[in-house]
Amino acid sequence: MIRLGAGPLERIAAVGAHCDDIAIGAGGTLLTACLARPGIRVDALVLTGGGGDREQEERAALAAFCPGADLRLTVLKLPDGRIPAHWEEAKAAVEELRERTDPDLVLAPRTDDAHQDHRGLAKLMPTAFRDHLVLGYEIVKWDGDLGRPTAYQPLTPEIAEQKVRLLQEHYASQRHRAWYDREAFIGLARIRGIECQARYAEAFATTKLTLNLGN
């Protein structure tokens, strides 16, 4: 298996349509990166959930998922389930994020995610982050839209368990959902780990990747 590093990692941009998307899709990756690089800058943007309990959950959760990081989080108030109808506002928010950071890595939803909010946000990313490594995270749900990933971040057993614990601890509003449990999260991580010869992993989709093998 060929392993190619992304070079120096000093800034990460993470975007989600809803509070908890980033943590579910890439929480283990954030924990891994932040623990390895104290002081790393993480610019996060969430399009819905602002001004209420969901925003408070998100702020506490991402602080825990980004230990020691310079975390800068924006949570907007676009209507849940209606992001495609608010295209201009969503596009402006993504462009504003790009104006304030030039990240080494972008974490975003997948373009083939079945949820219209996730998919709409994913399609906005290439318009603002044209020359960046964008990894599309996956979120397990009843739609059955999990595909064949093209990139993996192995997780240590400790990180995988910490991710599950933090998800359960910080998002009380989601605990009633049938798919929101330890078995779902750790089970998917185990499957993705098998696929990349690790115990656990998070998996991502990439639509475009430029290699620099000469340096």
Side-chain angles (χ1 to χ4, degrees):
M1 179 178 297
I2 298 175
R3 299 176 184 268
L4 298 176
L9 186 59
E10 299 176 350
R11 292 191 177 200
I12 297 174
V15 300
H18 315 102
C19 297
D20 76 23
D21 284 354
I22 295 171
I24 292 174
T29 297
L30 286 174
L31 280 167
T32 299
C34 292
L35 289 171
R37 299 168 179 83
I40 189 173
R41 176 166 164 176
V42 179
D43 289 89
L45 169 67
V46 180
L47 296 183
T48 68
D53 292 341
R54 291 284 278 148
E55 178 176 351
Q56 296 307 311
E57 283 184 343
E58 185 74 340
R59 291 193 176 279
L62 288 191
F65 275 102
C66 300
D70 177 10
L71 174 62
R72 308 181 187 193
L73 170 62
T74 300
V75 183
L76 302 183
K77 299 180 180 180
L78 298 187
D80 189 348
R82 299 289 185 271
I83 286 178
H86 294 263
W87 184 263
E88 291 299 327
E89 296 161 88
K91 188 173 189 296
V94 170
E95 291 176 344
E96 192 279 330
L97 173 66
R98 174 64 184 91
E99 289 174 0
R100 71 172 185 261
T101 186
D102 185 19
D104 305 300
L105 171 64
V106 180
L107 301 170
R110 297 176 299 125
T111 55
D112 57 352
D113 193 297
H115 194 295
Q116 69 273 13
D117 287 353
H118 301 171
R119 189 170 62 251
L121 175 56
K123 291 180 177 179
L124 282 170
M125 301 311 294
T127 68
F129 295 92
R130 295 180 179 272
D131 300 311
H132 300 80
L133 175 59
V134 180
L135 298 181
Y137 55 73
E138 56 184 357
I139 297 177
V140 64
K141 49 189 173 298
W142 71 271
D143 304 82
D145 63 351
L146 297 180
R148 299 186 65 180
T150 52
Y152 297 84
Q153 170 58 54
L155 306 178
T156 65
E158 293 77 16
I159 290 291
E161 291 290 350
Q162 185 177 2
K163 173 185 175 177
V164 173
R165 179 178 58 79
L166 292 176
L167 286 173
Q168 295 287 9
E169 177 181 338
H170 287 286
Y171 295 106
S173 64
Q174 304 304 299
R175 292 175 190 154
H176 69 284
R177 300 186 181 277
W179 55 268
Y180 197 92
D181 61 27
R182 181 185 185 279
E183 289 181 333
F185 298 133
I186 206 71
L188 180 58
R190 179 68 186 110
I191 291 171
R192 297 317 189 196
I194 292 171
E195 294 172 351
C196 69
Q197 300 182 34
R199 182 64 185 173
Y200 299 106
E202 285 178 337
F204 302 90
T206 55
T207 55
K208 186 182 292 186
L209 177 64
T210 299
L211 302 178
N212 182 8
L213 302 180
N215 293 331

